Amino acid sequence: MTDDVSDLARQAGRLGLAGDFDAAQALIDQASHLAGEDPAGRAACVIERGRLYNSAGQRDMARPLFHEAWRLAREARANALAVDAAHMIAISGTLDDAIEWTATALAYVGEHPEAEAWRAPLLHNLGWICFDAGRFEDALRLFRQAADVRRQQSQKLELRIAFYAVVRTLRALGHFEEARLLAEEIADAAEAEGDQAPYMREELAECHARLGDMDRARLSARRALAILEKDTVFVAREPRRLARLRELAG
């Protein structure tokens, strides 16, 4: 796969995330022309086109492309790309699809160590799928597995994100004291390294409130708000969470 094909595919992906689907599709057309019959190049183009359709809510058009990318990437022995395709099949389908294809992707990672970087994201993504389906025990198990991988790989930022998912799920399960203790540990460690950890402070606010300590809930909510009120993405996407934090902050 040429660098030009990769660059165009990545540019298309960024345009898709920004919502400029027409321009993104045009770039994929260019990349596909450059890729010719190269299976790795074709796989990169097909998966990005599928992502565009998926982002636009056209999953019926996206999923066949992800399956094609899975086939092409394995043919090209582009193993990380193959896992990416399997992961997109997983997140674009039903809960059963997610479970089946995450297992397929993890098995593939086990056979191809060069794709090992995908292990934690696969576990993490499936965890959120289970969480959204109300399967909190399954989600907690997956998030803890993802955190173990991040710890083994000494990925500090990613480990904090993994622990956030653990804390959020503990709270969903009603384990407020366990969630509070872990959240305080992670938030304090993050702040010692210059990370103000607003999402963990948000969780602390909720846990303190559930445990009846409204003074500490208020303090944690205010510390979270000091950061999150300035985050334009959070403000736009999470109006309920923002309103809740303001309520807890008094």
Side-chain angles (χ1 to χ4, degrees):
M1 177 169 52
T2 68
D3 290 341
D4 288 342
V5 171
S6 298
D7 288 344
L8 287 170
R10 281 193 292 268
Q11 289 175 43
R14 288 193 290 270
L15 287 171
L17 289 173
D20 194 347
F21 297 116
D22 289 341
Q25 291 284 13
L27 280 182
I28 292 295
D29 290 341
Q30 293 180 40
S32 297
H33 179 73
L34 285 174
E37 295 303 312
D38 174 55
R42 289 170 61 201
C45 295
V46 168
I47 197 170
E48 290 303 336
R49 197 183 297 280
R51 266 196 266 267
L52 293 176
Y53 285 128
N54 194 58
S55 296
Q58 298 173 290
R59 290 190 170 186
D60 289 345
M61 297 182 70
R63 285 179 59 78
L65 295 175
F66 297 143
H67 280 280
E68 183 181 356
W70 166 246
R71 177 184 63 80
L72 287 168
R74 285 181 299 146
E75 177 185 330
R77 297 182 181 178
N79 295 320
L81 190 59
V83 176
D84 189 4
H87 133 267
M88 290 307 302
I89 297 170
I91 67 174
S92 63
T94 65
L95 178 59
D96 286 343
D97 291 328
I99 293 170
E100 175 188 352
W101 279 93
T102 299
T104 297
L106 287 168
Y108 196 84
V109 168
E111 297 168 358
H112 302 89
E114 63 271 31
E116 180 63 29
W118 270 103
R119 184 178 301 278
L122 287 166
L123 294 165
H124 188 81
N125 289 346
L126 182 57
W128 281 119
I129 290 168
C130 289
F131 185 97
D132 291 340
R135 294 174 52 169
F136 300 129
E137 292 287 358
D138 290 334
L140 183 60
R141 173 178 52 81
L142 290 159
F143 288 143
R144 282 178 164 157
Q145 288 176 11
D148 286 343
V149 174
R150 295 300 193 188
R151 186 186 294 107
Q152 291 165 13
Q153 296 174 347
S154 300
Q155 297 175 325
K156 286 187 177 180
L157 176 59
E158 291 82 359
L159 181 58
R160 288 173 194 159
I161 294 170
F163 276 133
Y164 166 80
V166 172
V167 170
R168 178 66 187 88
T169 309
L170 286 170
R171 180 163 69 86
L173 285 165
H175 302 329
F176 304 121
E177 181 63 12
E178 185 179 357
R180 181 191 68 80
L181 289 170
L182 179 58
E184 285 184 345
E185 177 186 347
I186 301 305
D188 290 347
E191 288 196 347
E193 296 182 4
D195 180 347
Q196 297 182 68
Y199 297 110
M200 205 64 84
R201 294 296 172 190
E202 177 191 14
E203 286 303 308
L204 279 169
E206 293 286 1
C207 289
H208 287 312
R210 290 285 190 167
L211 292 166
D213 190 341
M214 297 311 298
D215 288 338
R216 295 181 74 183
R218 189 177 303 111
L219 176 60
S220 294
R222 288 176 178 175
R223 294 180 72 177
L225 273 175
I227 306 301
L228 295 177
E229 279 188 320
K230 300 173 185 176
D231 185 333
T232 56
V233 174
F234 182 86
V235 171
R237 293 183 180 177
E238 302 289 352
R240 290 184 181 180
R241 288 169 64 185
L242 185 64
R244 173 63 174 163
L245 277 171
R246 286 171 173 163
E247 176 189 351
L248 289 172

